[in-house]
Amino acid sequence: MLFSPHRPVGLKLLRFALPASFCFFYFFLSRTWILNNAYTSVKTSFTSRAAPAAAIPEIPEMLWYKLGPNGLNSELQGYVDTCLGRNPTFQYEFMTDLSGDAFVKEHFASRPDILENFLALRIPIVKADILRYLILYENGGIWNDLDISCEDVPIGEWIPAQYKENTGLVVGLEFDVDIWVRQFASWTIMAKPKSPHMLMVVEDCIEAVLEKTREHNVGVADLTIDMIGDVVDFSGPRRLTKAVLKSLSLSLNSKIEGGNISNVTEPRLIGDVLVLPDYSFANSMNEQYGDSGKGQILVTHHYAGSWKNALGGEILRNGSNSE
Ligand SMILES: *[C@@H]1O[C@H](CO)[C@@H](O)[C@H](O)[C@H]1NC(C)=O
Ligand SMILES: *[C@@H]1O[C@H](CO)[C@@H](O)[C@H](O)[C@H]1NC(C)=O
Ligand SMILES: *[C@@H]1O[C@H](CO)[C@@H](O)[C@H](O)[C@H]1NC(C)=O
């Protein structure tokens, strides 16, 4: 049974009602419109709820997802269900472009530099990257991409007992160019609210955006994916990794660098950042450059997202581009 009584009723209904209404309205309205509006109203009702008590101190039992224009298909639904089903006390929310913008407007009004640049940005993959950092900074919880499935270990047990009290951010290693240059996966991230490391990631992303506007002499709204270079560096895993190491170095007053996150064969706590070995989040992809440790696999990334079209948007199932 995947649904617990703790979950927002709106979402429960939605998951059953949506397919039916979707079929009904398909010929009249676009899918994106239905999803955006449906989930936006769920969002409104959700924000009045108190955060659920957590098995891990400081980290709320909340799973965050972001829907692209395709919404969920049965493959992605299956992956999502493994995480919801194995963590029945967790609340969850599916963000959309609309509800994501609304979230940022609601929570970052005091940071116009973040708010205005985020809203002006028109490269979906970059917005999706920054949105996850903003959500995790503001509310904490677990971010998952839609093509993540959870293995048998409940999320409440992802952090070894001896580190639970002191962990504010959990990241897992993924592959990179060689064994000494590692990076954190951005498809699954767990954070406490207001982690300074997450804020550093956000601020570095915004700074990178502004740098590109100066370099190309355009406004934020006119930046295109061709101008930003590799999105992995710009706002993805490498940006996440660099900013977290930078923030850690500041908070520990000691240089934390690539060497500190290589040869990680068991969970390693650096400051309040728990670095999980590559088998935890990225087991399938570390045969060549991984740290070759063996241990509990926590999630599997299925690479279902075809996110990189010319606009940096999702490629719709019928092959057309969407923004
Ligand atoms: C980071 O790595 C350096 C160089 O190996 C080491 O001296 C330092 O103690 C490490 N820092 C932490 C917090 O593990
Ligand atoms: C990696 O760590 C293991 C155990 O912590 C150690 O035995 C091994 O020598 C290390 N390898 C390198 C290349 O530092
Ligand atoms: C593909 O789907 C999109 C959105 O539903 C639609 O606008 C477009 O016309 C479709 N393209 C084809 C070739 O069917």
Side-chain angles (χ1 to χ4, degrees):
M1 185 61 193
L2 291 184
F3 305 114
S4 89
H6 302 98
R7 296 239 170 79
V9 171
L11 272 174
K12 279 204 270 184
L13 287 178
L14 198 57
R15 287 166 58 116
F16 293 113
L18 194 60
S21 54
F22 173 74
C23 294
F24 186 73
F25 283 113
Y26 183 76
F27 298 104
F28 303 102
L29 297 165
S30 92
R31 223 187 310 200
T32 309
W33 185 92
I34 297 172
L35 284 171
N36 282 349
N37 286 276
Y39 283 115
T40 302
S41 59
V42 168
K43 164 78 185 139
T44 313
S45 63
F46 176 77
T47 43
S48 61
R49 298 171 66 93
I56 306 168
E58 300 208 78
I59 299 183
E61 294 196 328
M62 182 72 201
L63 277 157
W64 297 99
Y65 291 96
K66 161 79 174 45
L67 296 172
N70 283 320
L72 282 176
N73 56 41
S74 58
E75 181 192 2
L76 297 175
Q77 180 79 66
Y79 300 143
V80 167
D81 281 348
T82 62
C83 294
L84 303 185
R86 281 168 193 152
N87 300 283
T89 59
F90 277 57
Q91 293 191 349
Y92 59 90
E93 182 165 346
F94 293 92
M95 285 289 196
T96 63
D97 292 330
L98 272 187
S99 66
D101 281 1
F103 179 93
V104 178
K105 280 181 202 161
E106 184 181 340
H107 296 290
F108 290 89
S110 64
R111 287 292 306 263
D113 56 328
I114 294 174
L115 175 64
E116 282 160 24
N117 291 313
F118 177 82
L119 293 178
L121 255 179
R122 293 184 62 245
I123 310 171
I125 179 65
V126 174
K127 280 193 81 165
D129 279 340
I130 299 177
L131 181 65
R132 77 192 59 194
Y133 309 137
L134 287 167
I135 289 171
L136 289 175
Y137 173 68
E138 184 61 30
N139 283 11
I142 289 94
W143 174 276
N144 271 344
D145 280 355
L146 292 170
D147 54 357
I148 290 300
S149 63
C150 291
E151 301 301 319
D152 284 337
V153 190
I155 292 170
E157 292 170 23
W158 282 10
I159 303 181
Q162 70 269 32
Y163 300 136
K164 276 188 179 173
E165 286 294 328
N166 300 315
T167 297
L169 176 66
V170 180
V171 281
L173 289 163
E174 58 155 308
F175 79 121
D176 207 343
V177 286
D178 66 42
I179 194 166
W180 298 112
V181 185
R182 305 304 303 276
Q183 69 193 24
F184 302 139
S186 66
W187 56 71
T188 298
I189 309 170
M190 174 150 77
K192 70 173 184 182
K194 308 288 169 179
S195 166
H197 312 307
M198 273 297 111
L199 187 59
M200 181 71 85
V201 185
V202 169
E203 287 176 337
D204 281 7
C205 286
I206 298 294
E207 183 45 42
V209 166
L210 294 177
E211 226 172 85
K212 286 295 172 190
T213 63
R214 291 189 290 266
E215 185 183 324
H216 296 280
N217 198 25
V218 294
V220 174
D222 296 319
L223 279 176
T224 63
I225 194 152
D226 298 328
M227 297 177 186
I228 64 165
D230 190 343
V231 74
V232 172
D233 288 308
F234 188 77
S235 57
R238 272 185 227 129
R239 172 70 61 196
L240 169 70
T241 308
K242 275 162 82 176
V244 168
L245 295 186
K246 176 172 139 192
S247 173
L248 259 178
S249 302
L250 281 174
S251 66
L252 297 177
N253 197 23
S254 150
K255 185 84 183 144
I256 304 298
E257 49 205 348
N260 296 90
I261 57 163
S262 57
N263 198 26
V264 175
T265 50
E266 53 189 44
R268 178 184 296 172
L269 189 68
I270 307 175
D272 71 342
V273 177
L274 187 68
V275 178
L276 297 178
D278 49 28
Y279 54 75
S280 304
F281 289 174
N283 191 52
S284 62
M285 61 191 295
N286 283 299
E287 283 163 19
Q288 192 174 1
Y289 295 119
D291 288 326
S292 53
K294 292 270 175 285
Q296 221 152 28
I297 300 168
L298 304 178
V299 304
T300 300
H301 185 216
H302 297 274
Y303 297 94
S306 43
W307 44 267
K308 218 172 163 185
N309 65 21
L311 294 163
E314 199 170 346
I315 296 169
L316 293 177
R317 293 260 143 187
N318 67 6
S320 73
N321 284 349
S322 85
E323 246 189 289

